[in-house]
Amino acid sequence: MKRDFLTLLDFSAEETEALLNRSAELKSGKDSSACPLIGKSIGLLFDKASTRTRISFQAGIYQLGAQAIYINANEIQLGRGETIEDTAKVLSRYLHAIVIRTFAHDIIERFAKNSAMSVINGLTDLHHPCQTLADLMTIKEKKGRLKGVRLAYIGDGNNVANSLIEASLMTGISLALACPEGYEPDRKIYEKARSGEADVKLMTSPEDAVKGADVLYTDVWVSMGQEETSDTKKKLFKDFQINRPLLSLAKPDAIVMHCLPAHRGEEITDDVIDSPQSVVFDQAENRLHTQKALLETLLK
Ligand code: CP
Ligand code: NVA
């Protein structure tokens, strides 16, 4: 039976823990079991720009012995009106799995429903679960644990924030989100986490959120596909910035995370993202290791 990874909660807590352990093993370079996915073809169907997701999947797939086929959504018949359902059925006849980056989350759900191969969410407007796997690996590496770690997310209640909420529900991370009014995370995802007794709080004060935090996390104010909101958001979000004064309210050994790409001078200042407390490039590297473990798990 094929399995999909559309949101973090498609895996159980135990499966995620095993995946993170395997990611660490792959990163250590100690495992020399070569090419477990030899002979397989994996599609990368992208409707939005990408540096990390695209290249880390492409390199990781090669390292696992498989072939990656990059597909620009506008260059296949999908871009000329072929349906998502027909595209999913046809590509399932050629590929063993597909990573999709697109807009509305229901596009990937429809694709997965009509697909005989595993579908992996490489970002939708609602979720970014592959990013969260790398985030969890990074927090574990730097803090030695997940449960009880205090994470403050500052900024837009977007796909990255939604997936972090699911991570809190799954792992026991204590999450405080500071978002401007009207830019909160998805209500259903938030309510589900709260009713599952996740330690998740929503507030409007970045200062309150970061007080005593172990991890500070932010993302761009304007996500892909929302460019027309840019002027309004830049005014509204100006106090939702990780800068030196804000960082000084967190624990002295707090780390700073960002999924990247960063808009330096907007959601984060240069002196913070380039400081020794910043782990953003380790976080980016961990995309590679966690996604290799994900592919092994889904395709074994
Ligand atoms: N963090 C992340 O997903 O980066 P890309 O948009 O470059 O893939
Ligand atoms: N929230 C951002 C994440 C980019 C990796 C976006 O959707 O554009």
Side-chain angles (χ1 to χ4, degrees), residues 171-191:
T171 64
I173 284 177
S174 163
L175 176 62
L177 301 123
C179 309
E181 251 180 73
Y183 294 91
E184 294 87 3
D186 182 79
R187 183 133 295 273
K188 266 202 201 146
I189 293 172
Y190 180 70
E191 293 302 342

Side-chain angles (χ1 to χ4, degrees), residues 61-74:
I61 288 165
Y62 178 75
Q63 290 168 20
L64 294 171
Q67 171 200 30
I69 303 176
Y70 180 74
I71 311 160
N72 177 332
N74 287 318

Side-chain angles (χ1 to χ4, degrees), residues 48 101 123 128 158-160 219-220 222-224 259-261:
K48 291 175 174 171
R101 170 168 286 199
L123 181 147
H128 197 2
N158 60 17
N159 41 14
V160 169
D219 184 17
V220 289
V222 181
S223 284
M224 290 180 279
C259 59
L260 303 180

Side-chain angles (χ1 to χ4, degrees), residues 263-278:
H263 284 206
R264 289 161 173 261
E266 292 185 8
E267 76 278 0
I268 193 159
T269 53
D270 281 332
D271 57 354
V272 170
I273 198 168
D274 295 328
S275 76
Q277 281 170 273
S278 165

Side-chain angles (χ1 to χ4, degrees), residues 138-139 141-143 145 149-154 209-217 242-258 268 271-280 282-283:
T138 311
I139 296 169
E141 277 178 347
K142 307 292 176 189
K143 296 289 163 195
R145 66 192 206 285
V149 167
R150 292 182 57 189
L151 191 157
Y153 177 91
I154 309 301
V210 306
K211 243 171 248 163
D214 298 296
V215 182
L216 270 61
Y217 197 125
I242 301 190
N243 49 34
R244 278 267 158 222
L246 195 72
L247 181 56
S248 72
L249 302 175
K251 286 197 183 137
D253 64 347
I255 56 169
V256 177
M257 299 179 73
H258 191 309
I268 193 159
D271 57 354
V272 170
I273 198 168
D274 295 328
S275 76
Q277 281 170 273
S278 165
V279 299
V280 300
D282 293 330
Q283 196 184 345

Side-chain angles (χ1 to χ4, degrees), residues 49-54 101 128 131 224 259-261 287:
S50 170
T51 300
R52 281 142 289 269
T53 308
R54 175 177 173 175
R101 170 168 286 199
H128 197 2
Q131 179 64 52
M224 290 180 279
C259 59
L260 303 180
R287 297 293 304 275

